[in-house]
Amino acid sequence: MTRDTNIRIKAIVLLPVFGVTAFLFHFVWEMWQAPFYQGMSESSHWSSVILCSRASLGDAFIAMFAYLLVAWISRNFSWIYKMKMGWWWMYIATGLGITLILEYLATEVFVRWNANRNLT
């Protein structure tokens, strides 16, 4: 196998595994924090699961976008296997930056949800 073939195989395997893992971690996070938002404790279980699934899917896409951005900048799709702190910081900063902007828009501009009094 050539080096390019190995990179393609890693890309085909790594990105979906990374995306599913990100979704699962974010889903647990969304479900744990759900009681702290207005209306979530009164809503039905299924509607909460659907809402948290949609949020987790968005979070997984943010994580995959940040991963691909670092891969493009570093010109190394397998950057995650190498422990270069600059790439890790770039990944974290990209994900956090996108998340903070989207959370601000959702809570302050479009007022899609509000924190419960217990959280503030």
Side-chain angles (χ1 to χ4, degrees), residues 49-119:
V49 168
I50 291 171
L51 186 64
C52 289
S53 296
R54 287 178 48 208
S56 301
L57 190 60
D59 292 341
F61 278 118
I62 291 169
M64 288 192 305
F65 174 79
Y67 181 88
L68 290 172
L69 181 68
V70 175
W72 178 66
I73 291 171
S74 68
R75 300 193 189 287
N76 183 358
F77 193 84
S78 302
W79 68 266
I80 201 165
Y81 296 118
K82 299 176 180 12
M83 296 303 288
K84 292 195 176 180
M85 290 307 292
W87 293 344
W88 281 100
W89 283 115
M90 189 182 312
Y91 170 76
I92 290 168
T94 301
L96 261 172
I98 292 170
T99 300
L100 289 173
I101 291 168
L102 292 176
E103 290 288 331
Y104 174 78
L105 290 172
T107 57
E108 301 297 325
V109 177
F110 301 115
V111 193
R112 293 187 61 194
W113 61 80
N114 290 315
N116 196 336
R117 276 183 249 146
N118 296 336
L119 186 62

Side-chain angles (χ1 to χ4, degrees), residues 2-13:
T2 67
R3 183 177 184 279
D4 289 339
T5 305
N6 284 337
I7 291 171
R8 285 190 188 105
I9 290 171
K10 284 181 183 177
I12 290 169
V13 172

Side-chain angles (χ1 to χ4, degrees), residues 35-54:
F36 297 110
Y37 286 91
Q38 287 180 352
M40 289 296 284
S41 49
E42 293 87 25
S43 66
S44 71
H45 175 71
W46 187 242
S47 65
S48 296
V49 168
I50 291 171
L51 186 64
C52 289
S53 296
R54 287 178 48 208

